[in-house]
Amino acid sequence: MRIGPYALDNNVILAPMAGVTDVPFRNLCVRLGAGLAVSEMLSSNPRVWETEKSRERMLHHQDVGIRAVQIAGCDPELMALAAQHNVRHGAQIIDINMGCPAKKVNKKLAGSALLQDPALVTEILHAVVAAVDVPVTLKIRTGWARDQRNGVYIARIAEQAGIQSLAVHGRTREDMYKGQAEYDTIAEIKAAISIPVVANGDITSPEQAKYVLDYTQADAIMVGRGAQGRPWIFREIEHYLRTGEQHAPPALEEVTSIMREHLAQLHSFYGDLKGLRIARKHIGWYLQAIDDPLEFRRYFNSLESAAGQTDALEHYFVNLQERKERYYV
Ligand SMILES: Cc1cc2nc3c(=O)[nH]c(=O)nc-3n(C[C@H](O)[C@H](O)[C@H](O)COP(=O)(O)O)c2cc1C
């Protein structure tokens, strides 16, 4: 798939996830096969740009892949300024968030709440597209509520505004994350517009990825939660889509080396104090997939120093090697 001048290496994309898809995780996913990794959302409110969180999210030049940066907000002028600001900081693609269901975001009429106001959607998209020279992409849900599925209508607005690709999470805001994602609306959207469409929701295996691509005829798929603690899922999906064959799961040695690398990157990107907090959730996700994690997870989460985490993980790996027959991914 192409997004403006950028030809993706493959059509398997890491979804933007606030608090998850930071620089260390994005780079790991790209190294392990993601064709594109979209950043966490950045607020369009300039008053928060100087906070620690925004400054960390604005370090676009540390991305190894194409730098796709997501912005969120509801004021067309501020969204345009935010897009320009991020391009100045290195963004190569600006992605607009109209999918976030969080109350804190929706209260300000941003994220998925915008789907209730197509006129404002139109204004925002036109303002952002006009403000920057880089491609602008959009991410939506299928609508605000189950009886207001207006994804096709919004998709047409997006196409007319010059949006270069559209990612669709197959749920309404009302659904939050409940039930199964539905792919019918994504298929309808794909049939209705001619810009690339990216299908998203509940893709956690190569087989599901192929099913969704075939069913929706989308140009690419996007994986969010399925990549937590399993960043190698991208090469597994890419390999299966390309060859029809399963990619071997990572050997224990590779899993441990990925975890080691990820932990070190988190400590170095955030500094020890914050890095150790962020590491707890990521290491927790890996541990869910291997061995009997609970006891070690509790211990790991109780550690209060980065060096302590690194040591603990090394000891855990040694034990794990000894009990290799119990390992599974
Ligand atoms: C923890 C978390 C944070 C998320 N943050 C964002 C975000 O910042 N921007 C966005 O567009 N979507 C966000 N999403 C939604 C995901 O991008 C994705 O659409 C959703 O998780 C469905 O895909 P999945 O089933 O593959 O996880 C978030 C989801 C999760 C679980």
Side-chain angles (χ1 to χ4, degrees), residues 13-21 38-42 57 70-72 95-101 111 138-141 167-171 176-177 181 183 199-204 222-228 281 285:
I13 299 174
L14 172 65
M17 289 186 286
V20 182
T21 59
V38 185
S39 80
E40 306 165 88
M41 66 177 146
L42 273 142
R57 289 184 184 184
Q70 189 183 66
I71 57 173
D95 185 54
I96 299 178
N97 178 336
M98 295 195 186
C100 179
L138 173 65
K139 181 160 177 285
I140 61 171
R141 285 185 171 233
V168 188
H169 176 190
R171 287 188 175 87
M176 299 297 281
Y177 289 94
Y183 304 119
N200 170 236
D202 296 350
I203 298 171
T204 54
M222 181 176 260
V223 179
R225 292 163 296 170
Q228 291 172 349
K281 66 183 163 194
W285 285 321

CSV table of all heavy atoms in Angstrom, one decimal, residues 13-21 38-42 57 70-72 95-101 111 138-141 167-171 176-177 181 183 199-204 222-228 281 285, ligand 1:
chain,number,residue,atom,x,y,z
A,13,ILE,N,-0.1,-3.1,9.8
A,13,ILE,CA,0.3,-1.8,10.5
A,13,ILE,C,0.0,-1.9,12.0
A,13,ILE,O,-1.0,-2.5,12.4
A,13,ILE,CB,-0.7,-0.7,9.9
A,13,ILE,CG1,-0.4,-0.6,8.4
A,13,ILE,CG2,-0.5,0.6,10.6
A,13,ILE,CD1,-1.3,0.4,7.6
A,14,LEU,N,0.9,-1.3,12.8
A,14,LEU,CA,0.7,-1.3,14.2
A,14,LEU,C,-0.3,-0.1,14.5
A,14,LEU,O,0.0,1.0,14.1
A,14,LEU,CB,2.1,-1.0,14.9
A,14,LEU,CG,2.0,-0.7,16.4
A,14,LEU,CD1,1.4,-1.9,17.2
A,14,LEU,CD2,3.3,-0.3,17.0
A,15,ALA,N,-1.3,-0.4,15.2
A,15,ALA,CA,-2.4,0.6,15.6
A,15,ALA,C,-1.8,1.6,16.6
A,15,ALA,O,-1.0,1.2,17.4
A,15,ALA,CB,-3.6,-0.1,16.1
A,16,PRO,N,-2.3,2.8,16.5
A,16,PRO,CA,-1.9,3.8,17.6
A,16,PRO,C,-2.5,3.4,18.9
A,16,PRO,O,-3.7,3.1,18.9
A,16,PRO,CB,-2.4,5.1,17.1
A,16,PRO,CG,-3.6,4.7,16.2
A,16,PRO,CD,-3.2,3.4,15.6
A,17,MET,N,-1.8,3.3,20.0
A,17,MET,CA,-2.3,3.0,21.3
A,17,MET,C,-1.6,3.9,22.3
A,17,MET,O,-0.4,3.7,22.6
A,17,MET,CB,-2.2,1.5,21.6
A,17,MET,CG,-3.0,0.6,20.8
A,17,MET,SD,-2.9,-1.1,21.4
A,17,MET,CE,-1.3,-1.6,20.8
A,18,ALA,N,-2.4,4.8,22.9
A,18,ALA,CA,-1.8,5.7,23.9
A,18,ALA,C,-1.3,4.9,25.1
A,18,ALA,O,-2.1,4.0,25.5
A,18,ALA,CB,-2.9,6.7,24.3
A,19,GLY,N,-0.1,5.2,25.5
A,19,GLY,CA,0.4,4.5,26.6
A,19,GLY,C,1.0,3.1,26.3
A,19,GLY,O,1.5,2.4,27.1
A,20,VAL,N,1.0,2.8,25.0
A,20,VAL,CA,1.6,1.5,24.5
A,20,VAL,C,2.6,1.7,23.4
A,20,VAL,O,3.7,1.3,23.4
A,20,VAL,CB,0.5,0.5,24.1
A,20,VAL,CG1,1.1,-0.8,23.7
A,20,VAL,CG2,-0.6,0.3,25.2
A,21,THR,N,2.1,2.4,22.3
A,21,THR,CA,2.9,2.5,21.1
A,21,THR,C,3.9,3.7,21.1
A,21,THR,O,3.8,4.6,20.3
A,21,THR,CB,2.1,2.5,19.8
A,21,THR,OG1,1.2,3.6,19.9
A,21,THR,CG2,1.2,1.2,19.7
A,38,VAL,N,2.0,3.6,13.9
A,38,VAL,CA,1.5,4.9,14.1
A,38,VAL,C,1.7,5.3,15.6
A,38,VAL,O,1.5,4.5,16.5
A,38,VAL,CB,0.0,4.9,13.8
A,38,VAL,CG1,-0.6,6.4,13.9
A,38,VAL,CG2,-0.3,4.4,12.4
A,39,SER,N,2.0,6.6,15.8
A,39,SER,CA,2.3,7.0,17.2
A,39,SER,C,1.1,7.1,18.0
A,39,SER,O,0.0,7.0,17.6
A,39,SER,CB,3.0,8.4,17.1
A,39,SER,OG,1.9,9.4,17.0
A,40,GLU,N,1.4,7.2,19.3
A,40,GLU,CA,0.3,7.5,20.3
A,40,GLU,C,-0.3,8.9,19.9
A,40,GLU,O,0.4,9.7,19.3
A,40,GLU,CB,0.8,7.6,21.7
A,40,GLU,CG,1.6,6.4,22.1
A,40,GLU,CD,2.4,6.8,23.4
A,40,GLU,OE1,1.9,6.6,24.5
A,40,GLU,OE2,3.6,7.2,23.3
A,41,MET,N,-1.6,9.1,20.3
A,41,MET,CA,-2.1,10.4,20.0
A,41,MET,C,-1.5,11.5,20.7
A,41,MET,O,-1.1,11.4,21.9
A,41,MET,CB,-3.7,10.4,20.2
A,41,MET,CG,-4.1,10.3,21.7
A,41,MET,SD,-5.8,10.4,21.8
A,41,MET,CE,-6.2,9.4,23.2
A,42,LEU,N,-1.4,12.7,20.0
A,42,LEU,CA,-0.9,13.9,20.6
A,42,LEU,C,-2.0,14.9,20.6
A,42,LEU,O,-2.7,15.1,19.6
A,42,LEU,CB,0.3,14.4,19.8
A,42,LEU,CG,1.6,13.8,20.2
A,42,LEU,CD1,2.4,13.6,18.9
A,42,LEU,CD2,2.3,14.8,21.1
A,57,ARG,N,6.3,12.2,23.4
A,57,ARG,CA,5.6,11.8,22.3
A,57,ARG,C,5.9,12.5,21.0
A,57,ARG,O,5.5,12.2,19.9
A,57,ARG,CB,4.0,11.9,22.5
A,57,ARG,CG,3.5,10.9,23.5
A,57,ARG,CD,2.0,10.9,23.6
A,57,ARG,NE,1.6,10.0,24.7
A,57,ARG,CZ,0.3,9.7,25.0
A,57,ARG,NH1,-0.6,10.3,24.3
A,57,ARG,NH2,0.0,8.9,25.9
A,70,GLN,N,-0.1,10.7,15.2
A,70,GLN,CA,-1.5,10.9,15.3
A,70,GLN,C,-1.8,12.2,16.2
A,70,GLN,O,-1.2,12.3,17.2
A,70,GLN,CB,-2.2,9.7,15.9
A,70,GLN,CG,-3.7,9.9,15.9
A,70,GLN,CD,-4.4,8.7,16.5
A,70,GLN,OE1,-4.4,8.6,17.7
A,70,GLN,NE2,-5.2,8.0,15.7
A,71,ILE,N,-2.7,13.0,15.7
A,71,ILE,CA,-3.2,14.1,16.5
A,71,ILE,C,-4.7,14.0,16.9
A,71,ILE,O,-5.4,13.3,16.1
A,71,ILE,CB,-2.9,15.5,15.8
A,71,ILE,CG1,-3.6,15.5,14.4
A,71,ILE,CG2,-1.4,15.7,15.7
A,71,ILE,CD1,-3.5,16.9,13.8
A,72,ALA,N,-5.1,14.6,18.0
A,72,ALA,CA,-6.4,14.5,18.4
A,72,ALA,C,-6.9,15.9,18.9
A,72,ALA,O,-6.1,16.6,19.5
A,72,ALA,CB,-6.6,13.5,19.6
A,95,ASP,N,-1.8,11.6,11.1
A,95,ASP,CA,-3.0,10.8,11.2
A,95,ASP,C,-3.9,11.5,12.2
A,95,ASP,O,-3.5,12.0,13.2
A,95,ASP,CB,-2.6,9.4,11.8
A,95,ASP,CG,-3.8,8.5,11.8
A,95,ASP,OD1,-4.5,8.3,10.8
A,95,ASP,OD2,-4.1,7.9,12.9
A,96,ILE,N,-5.2,11.5,11.9
A,96,ILE,CA,-6.2,12.2,12.7
A,96,ILE,C,-7.0,11.2,13.4
A,96,ILE,O,-7.6,10.2,12.8
A,96,ILE,CB,-7.1,13.2,11.9
A,96,ILE,CG1,-6.2,14.2,11.2
A,96,ILE,CG2,-8.2,13.8,12.7
A,96,ILE,CD1,-7.0,15.2,10.3
A,97,ASN,N,-7.2,11.4,14.8
A,97,ASN,CA,-7.9,10.5,15.6
A,97,ASN,C,-9.4,10.8,15.7
A,97,ASN,O,-9.7,11.8,16.3
A,97,ASN,CB,-7.3,10.5,17.0
A,97,ASN,CG,-8.0,9.6,18.0
A,97,ASN,OD1,-9.2,9.2,17.8
A,97,ASN,ND2,-7.3,9.1,19.0
A,98,MET,N,-10.2,10.0,15.0
A,98,MET,CA,-11.7,10.1,15.2
A,98,MET,C,-12.2,8.8,15.7
A,98,MET,O,-13.4,8.4,15.3
A,98,MET,CB,-12.4,10.7,14.0
A,98,MET,CG,-11.9,12.1,13.6
A,98,MET,SD,-13.0,12.9,12.4
A,98,MET,CE,-12.1,14.4,12.1
A,99,GLY,N,-11.4,8.1,16.5
A,99,GLY,CA,-11.8,6.8,16.9
A,99,GLY,C,-11.8,6.6,18.4
A,99,GLY,O,-12.4,5.6,18.9
A,100,CYS,N,-11.1,7.4,19.1
A,100,CYS,CA,-10.9,7.2,20.5
A,100,CYS,C,-12.2,7.3,21.3
A,100,CYS,O,-13.0,8.3,21.1
A,100,CYS,CB,-9.9,8.3,21.1
A,100,CYS,SG,-9.7,8.0,22.8
A,101,PRO,N,-12.5,6.3,22.1
A,101,PRO,CA,-13.8,6.3,22.8
A,101,PRO,C,-13.7,6.8,24.2
A,101,PRO,O,-14.7,6.9,25.0
A,101,PRO,CB,-14.1,4.8,22.9
A,101,PRO,CG,-12.8,4.1,23.0
A,101,PRO,CD,-11.8,5.0,22.3
A,111,GLY,N,-11.9,12.8,19.2
A,111,GLY,CA,-11.9,11.3,19.0
A,111,GLY,C,-13.2,10.9,18.4
A,111,GLY,O,-13.7,11.6,17.5
A,138,LEU,N,-6.7,9.2,8.3
A,138,LEU,CA,-7.7,9.4,9.3
A,138,LEU,C,-8.0,8.0,9.9
A,138,LEU,O,-8.0,7.0,9.2
A,138,LEU,CB,-9.0,10.0,8.6
A,138,LEU,CG,-10.2,10.0,9.4
A,138,LEU,CD1,-10.1,11.0,10.6
A,138,LEU,CD2,-11.4,10.5,8.6
A,139,LYS,N,-8.3,8.0,11.2
A,139,LYS,CA,-8.8,6.8,11.8
A,139,LYS,C,-10.1,7.0,12.5
A,139,LYS,O,-10.3,7.9,13.2
A,139,LYS,CB,-7.7,6.3,12.8
A,139,LYS,CG,-8.1,5.0,13.5
A,139,LYS,CD,-6.8,4.4,14.2
A,139,LYS,CE,-7.1,3.1,14.9
A,139,LYS,NZ,-7.8,3.4,16.2
A,140,ILE,N,-11.1,6.1,12.1
A,140,ILE,CA,-12.4,6.3,12.7
A,140,ILE,C,-12.9,5.0,13.3
A,140,ILE,O,-12.3,3.9,13.1
A,140,ILE,CB,-13.4,6.7,11.6
A,140,ILE,CG1,-13.5,5.7,10.4
A,140,ILE,CG2,-13.0,8.1,11.0
A,140,ILE,CD1,-14.6,5.9,9.4
A,141,ARG,N,-14.0,5.0,14.0
A,141,ARG,CA,-14.9,3.9,14.3
A,141,ARG,C,-16.0,3.8,13.2
A,141,ARG,O,-16.1,4.7,12.4
A,141,ARG,CB,-15.4,4.0,15.7
A,141,ARG,CG,-14.4,3.7,16.7
A,141,ARG,CD,-14.9,3.6,18.1
A,141,ARG,NE,-13.9,3.2,19.0
A,141,ARG,CZ,-14.1,2.2,19.9
A,141,ARG,NH1,-15.3,1.6,20.0
A,141,ARG,NH2,-13.1,1.7,20.7
A,167,ALA,N,-8.3,4.4,8.2
A,167,ALA,CA,-8.3,3.2,9.0
A,167,ALA,C,-9.6,3.1,9.7
A,167,ALA,O,-10.1,4.1,10.3
A,167,ALA,CB,-7.1,3.2,10.0
A,168,VAL,N,-10.2,1.9,9.8
A,168,VAL,CA,-11.6,1.8,10.4
A,168,VAL,C,-11.5,0.7,11.4
A,168,VAL,O,-11.3,-0.5,11.1
A,168,VAL,CB,-12.6,1.5,9.3
A,168,VAL,CG1,-14.0,1.5,10.0
A,168,VAL,CG2,-12.6,2.4,8.1
A,169,HIS,N,-11.8,1.0,12.7
A,169,HIS,CA,-12.0,0.1,13.7
A,169,HIS,C,-13.5,-0.4,13.7
A,169,HIS,O,-14.4,0.5,13.8
A,169,HIS,CB,-11.7,0.7,15.1
A,169,HIS,CG,-11.9,-0.2,16.3
A,169,HIS,ND1,-11.8,0.3,17.6
A,169,HIS,CD2,-12.2,-1.5,16.3
A,169,HIS,CE1,-12.1,-0.7,18.4
A,169,HIS,NE2,-12.3,-1.8,17.7
A,170,GLY,N,-13.7,-1.7,13.5
A,170,GLY,CA,-15.0,-2.2,13.3
A,170,GLY,C,-15.9,-2.2,14.5
A,170,GLY,O,-16.6,-3.2,14.8
A,171,ARG,N,-16.0,-1.1,15.2
A,171,ARG,CA,-16.9,-1.0,16.3
A,171,ARG,C,-17.4,0.5,16.4
A,171,ARG,O,-16.7,1.4,15.9
A,171,ARG,CB,-16.2,-1.2,17.7
A,171,ARG,CG,-15.9,-2.7,17.9
A,171,ARG,CD,-15.4,-2.8,19.4
A,171,ARG,NE,-15.2,-4.2,19.7
A,171,ARG,CZ,-14.1,-4.9,19.5
A,171,ARG,NH1,-13.0,-4.3,18.9
A,171,ARG,NH2,-14.0,-6.2,19.8
A,176,MET,N,-17.6,0.4,22.6
A,176,MET,CA,-16.3,0.5,23.3
A,176,MET,C,-15.4,-0.6,22.7
A,176,MET,O,-15.0,-0.6,21.6
A,176,MET,CB,-16.5,0.5,24.8
A,176,MET,CG,-17.3,1.6,25.4
A,176,MET,SD,-16.6,3.2,25.1
A,176,MET,CE,-15.4,3.3,26.4
A,177,TYR,N,-15.1,-1.6,23.6
A,177,TYR,CA,-14.3,-2.7,23.1
A,177,TYR,C,-15.0,-4.0,23.3
A,177,TYR,O,-14.5,-5.1,23.2
A,177,TYR,CB,-12.9,-2.8,23.9
A,177,TYR,CG,-12.0,-1.6,23.5
A,177,TYR,CD1,-12.0,-0.5,24.2
A,177,TYR,CD2,-11.2,-1.7,22.3
A,177,TYR,CE1,-11.2,0.6,23.8
A,177,TYR,CE2,-10.4,-0.7,22.0
A,177,TYR,CZ,-10.4,0.5,22.7
A,177,TYR,OH,-9.6,1.5,22.3
A,181,ALA,N,-15.5,-7.3,16.8
A,181,ALA,CA,-15.5,-6.3,15.8
A,181,ALA,C,-16.4,-6.7,14.6
A,181,ALA,O,-16.4,-7.9,14.3
A,181,ALA,CB,-14.1,-6.0,15.4
A,183,TYR,N,-17.1,-6.5,10.5
A,183,TYR,CA,-16.3,-6.2,9.4
A,183,TYR,C,-17.2,-5.8,8.2
A,183,TYR,O,-16.7,-5.3,7.1
A,183,TYR,CB,-15.4,-7.3,9.0
A,183,TYR,CG,-14.5,-7.7,10.1
A,183,TYR,CD1,-14.5,-9.0,10.7
A,183,TYR,CD2,-13.6,-6.8,10.7
A,183,TYR,CE1,-13.7,-9.4,11.7
A,183,TYR,CE2,-12.7,-7.2,11.7
A,183,TYR,CZ,-12.8,-8.4,12.2
A,183,TYR,OH,-12.0,-8.8,13.3
A,199,ALA,N,-8.3,-2.1,7.6
A,199,ALA,CA,-9.2,-2.8,8.5
A,199,ALA,C,-8.6,-3.0,9.8
A,199,ALA,O,-7.5,-3.5,9.9
A,199,ALA,CB,-9.7,-4.1,7.9
A,200,ASN,N,-9.4,-2.7,10.9
A,200,ASN,CA,-8.9,-2.9,12.2
A,200,ASN,C,-9.9,-3.4,13.2
A,200,ASN,O,-11.1,-3.2,13.0
A,200,ASN,CB,-8.4,-1.5,12.7
A,200,ASN,CG,-8.1,-1.4,14.2
A,200,ASN,OD1,-8.7,-0.6,14.9
A,200,ASN,ND2,-7.2,-2.2,14.7
A,201,GLY,N,-9.5,-4.2,14.1
A,201,GLY,CA,-10.3,-4.7,15.2
A,201,GLY,C,-10.2,-6.2,15.3
A,201,GLY,O,-10.5,-7.0,14.4
A,202,ASP,N,-9.7,-6.7,16.5
A,202,ASP,CA,-9.6,-8.1,16.9
A,202,ASP,C,-8.8,-9.0,16.0
A,202,ASP,O,-9.1,-10.1,15.9
A,202,ASP,CB,-11.1,-8.6,16.9
A,202,ASP,CG,-11.9,-8.0,18.0
A,202,ASP,OD1,-11.3,-7.2,18.8
A,202,ASP,OD2,-13.1,-8.2,18.0
A,203,ILE,N,-7.8,-8.4,15.4
A,203,ILE,CA,-6.9,-9.2,14.5
A,203,ILE,C,-5.7,-9.7,15.4
A,203,ILE,O,-4.9,-8.9,15.8
A,203,ILE,CB,-6.4,-8.5,13.3
A,203,ILE,CG1,-7.6,-8.1,12.4
A,203,ILE,CG2,-5.4,-9.3,12.5
A,203,ILE,CD1,-7.3,-7.2,11.3
A,204,THR,N,-5.7,-11.0,15.7
A,204,THR,CA,-4.7,-11.5,16.7
A,204,THR,C,-4.0,-12.7,16.1
A,204,THR,O,-3.2,-13.3,16.8
A,204,THR,CB,-5.4,-11.9,18.0
A,204,THR,OG1,-6.4,-12.8,17.7
A,204,THR,CG2,-6.0,-10.7,18.8
A,222,MET,N,-4.7,-3.5,10.5
A,222,MET,CA,-4.0,-2.8,11.6
A,222,MET,C,-4.2,-3.7,12.8
A,222,MET,O,-5.3,-4.1,13.1
A,222,MET,CB,-4.7,-1.5,11.7
A,222,MET,CG,-4.1,-0.6,12.8
A,222,MET,SD,-5.0,1.0,12.7
A,222,MET,CE,-3.8,2.0,11.9
A,223,VAL,N,-3.1,-3.9,13.6
A,223,VAL,CA,-3.1,-4.7,14.8
A,223,VAL,C,-2.8,-3.9,16.0
A,223,VAL,O,-1.8,-3.2,16.0
A,223,VAL,CB,-2.1,-5.9,14.6
A,223,VAL,CG1,-2.1,-6.7,15.9
A,223,VAL,CG2,-2.4,-6.7,13.4
A,224,GLY,N,-3.7,-3.9,17.0
A,224,GLY,CA,-3.4,-3.2,18.2
A,224,GLY,C,-3.0,-4.1,19.4
A,224,GLY,O,-1.9,-4.5,19.5
A,225,ARG,N,-4.1,-4.5,20.1
A,225,ARG,CA,-3.8,-5.3,21.3
A,225,ARG,C,-3.1,-6.6,21.0
A,225,ARG,O,-2.4,-7.1,21.9
A,225,ARG,CB,-5.2,-5.5,22.1
A,225,ARG,CG,-5.7,-4.2,22.7
A,225,ARG,CD,-7.2,-4.3,23.0
A,225,ARG,NE,-8.0,-4.6,21.8
A,225,ARG,CZ,-9.3,-4.9,21.8
A,225,ARG,NH1,-9.9,-5.0,23.0
A,225,ARG,NH2,-9.9,-5.1,20.7
A,226,GLY,N,-3.3,-7.2,19.8
A,226,GLY,CA,-2.7,-8.4,19.5
A,226,GLY,C,-1.2,-8.4,19.4
A,226,GLY,O,-0.5,-9.4,19.4
A,227,ALA,N,-0.6,-7.1,19.4
A,227,ALA,CA,0.8,-7.0,19.4
A,227,ALA,C,1.4,-6.8,20.8
A,227,ALA,O,2.7,-6.8,20.9
A,227,ALA,CB,1.2,-5.8,18.5
A,228,GLN,N,0.6,-6.6,21.8
A,228,GLN,CA,1.1,-6.4,23.1
A,228,GLN,C,1.8,-7.6,23.6
A,228,GLN,O,1.1,-8.7,23.7
A,228,GLN,CB,0.0,-5.9,24.1
A,228,GLN,CG,-0.6,-4.6,23.7
A,228,GLN,CD,-1.8,-4.2,24.5
A,228,GLN,OE1,-2.4,-5.0,25.2
A,228,GLN,NE2,-2.2,-3.0,24.5
A,281,LYS,N,4.2,-3.0,32.6
A,281,LYS,CA,3.1,-3.5,31.8
A,281,LYS,C,3.6,-4.3,30.6
A,281,LYS,O,3.0,-5.3,30.2
A,281,LYS,CB,2.1,-2.4,31.4
A,281,LYS,CG,2.6,-1.3,30.5
A,281,LYS,CD,1.6,-0.2,30.3
A,281,LYS,CE,2.3,1.0,29.7
A,281,LYS,NZ,1.5,2.2,29.8
A,285,TRP,N,2.9,-8.2,29.7
A,285,TRP,CA,2.3,-8.8,28.5
A,285,TRP,C,3.1,-10.0,28.0
A,285,TRP,O,2.5,-11.0,27.5
A,285,TRP,CB,2.1,-7.7,27.5
A,285,TRP,CG,1.0,-6.8,27.8
A,285,TRP,CD1,-0.3,-7.1,28.4
A,285,TRP,CD2,1.0,-5.3,27.6
A,285,TRP,NE1,-1.0,-5.9,28.5
A,285,TRP,CE2,-0.3,-4.9,28.0
A,285,TRP,CE3,1.9,-4.4,27.0
A,285,TRP,CZ2,-0.7,-3.5,28.0
A,285,TRP,CZ3,1.5,-3.1,27.0
A,285,TRP,CH2,0.3,-2.6,27.4
B,1,LIG,C1,-4.6,1.0,25.4
B,1,LIG,C2,-5.2,1.5,24.1
B,1,LIG,C3,-4.9,2.8,23.7
B,1,LIG,C4,-5.4,3.2,22.5
B,1,LIG,N1,-5.1,4.5,22.0
B,1,LIG,C5,-5.5,4.9,20.8
B,1,LIG,C6,-5.0,6.2,20.3
B,1,LIG,O1,-4.2,6.9,20.9
B,1,LIG,N2,-5.5,6.5,19.1
B,1,LIG,C7,-6.4,5.7,18.3
B,1,LIG,O2,-6.7,6.1,17.2
B,1,LIG,N3,-6.8,4.5,18.8
B,1,LIG,C8,-6.4,4.1,20.0
B,1,LIG,N4,-6.7,2.9,20.4
B,1,LIG,C9,-7.5,2.0,19.6
B,1,LIG,C10,-6.6,1.1,18.7
B,1,LIG,O3,-5.9,1.8,17.8
B,1,LIG,C11,-7.5,0.0,18.0
B,1,LIG,O4,-8.3,0.8,17.1
B,1,LIG,C12,-8.3,-0.9,18.9
B,1,LIG,O5,-7.6,-1.3,19.9
B,1,LIG,C13,-8.9,-2.0,18.1
B,1,LIG,O6,-7.8,-2.8,17.5
B,1,LIG,P1,-7.3,-4.2,18.2
B,1,LIG,O7,-8.5,-5.1,18.3
B,1,LIG,O8,-6.3,-4.7,17.2
B,1,LIG,O9,-6.7,-3.8,19.5
B,1,LIG,C14,-6.3,2.4,21.7
B,1,LIG,C15,-6.5,1.1,22.1
B,1,LIG,C16,-6.0,0.6,23.3
B,1,LIG,C17,-6.3,-0.8,23.7
